[in-house]
Amino acid sequence: MIEPGDLAALRVFEGVGVVEMWERLRRGEVGTERWATRMAAVEPERDLERAAAVGGRFVIPGDAEWPEQVDVLAEAGQLTRRAGVPFGLWVRGPANLRKVLEQSVAIVGARACSSYGSHVAGELAAGLSAKGFAVVSGGAYGIDAAAHRGALAAAGVTVAVLACGVDKSYPQSNAALFSRIVEQGLVVSELSPGCSPSKLRFLARNRLIAAASQGTLIVEAAVRSGALNSAGWAEQCGRPVMAVPGPITSQMSEGSHLLIRERDAVLVTDVPEIIEAVSPLGSGLTSYRHSTKTPIDDLSHDLRRTLDAVPVRTPAPTHRIATTAGLDIPTTHGALEALTALDLVHQSPTGWCLTPQTTD
């Protein structure tokens, strides 16, 4: 009867349990008129039967499977006229919802994503799965679907949070993907079986994606992308927001860059950086990237100057190398012998030149 995240219901039924809410709605008490038109169509037994027919179940607060982290929505405020903790969740799939979400990352982004975005989403999802993280997304075209497929390809667990009933495949062309998710992961929704998606239901769904995960990663998003709504909910819930940088010429990366520049999103480029962002403070740390160390890196100043003065192909005598390096002849000669021992230069009858492997 009540739409997910309905602000009016939160006000009218503040502090009231769901059983009492249901009784008030059935009695048509003053203040409940806005929901009266749906009363005739509500059949709880039918909903449970529909869910059971597709292997689904209904999980409510207090159940062993209830993911307690979504309770943060009680204090997260509102966004896009949505708010509040779900009354319950319809779930399909073999995994335990609470356990799966204990270590999870949401990956969301543009439906009309680029090949770059699709590739990055899939690779990051596969990498997170290999590290034992569940990948949460919305089952939509583009980045969402790429993230789900990446997790499945790595034999990981992925969770699709829908804006329709768990017995529906939306979009329909992703039906095969949803079937694979149900076999290996979970499909979740606040909406009863049989419900169809709508714009407000997508916005309400985004709050659940953000609250259920340890952090939300935006791979690609335009400035008006719904993925930015998910990022906003993650901020409201106190969860880390991460964004993947993209080409500055791509509109699909403008939203990601906006998050990094103006909303303090963490710029991430690989799985270790994502894990660091969602881990407790001081854990899961990753080091800065460094180039591969070469023998030249540890050379002293005089050895470097000498090496720079040695010709690539045509051998030069010691005095010419000393002149080019700006060093005296004894120092240059000693440096050349040291460089020879390191196999960086070699001597011929006419002088010194670089060994082949140092010419790249």
Side-chain angles (χ1 to χ4, degrees), residues 270-291:
D270 59 18
V271 170
E273 291 174 353
I274 297 171
I275 294 175
E276 180 183 72
V278 301
S279 297
L281 190 63
S283 64
L285 300 178
T286 183
S287 60
Y288 289 106
R289 294 180 180 177
H290 300 282
S291 60

Side-chain angles (χ1 to χ4, degrees), residues 10 19 26 40 58 69 153 170 187 211 245 253 281 312 333 355:
L10 291 177
V19 174
R26 291 181 64 186
F58 190 51
Q69 64 263 44
Y170 185 88
V187 171
S253 291
L281 190 63
V312 176
H333 184 75
T355 53

Side-chain angles (χ1 to χ4, degrees), residues 84-106:
V85 180
F87 299 119
L89 295 171
W90 299 90
V91 182
R92 285 181 67 193
N96 181 286
L97 181 62
R98 179 183 60 80
K99 292 182 179 179
V100 163
L101 295 179
E102 285 177 351
Q103 187 164 278
S104 60
V105 173

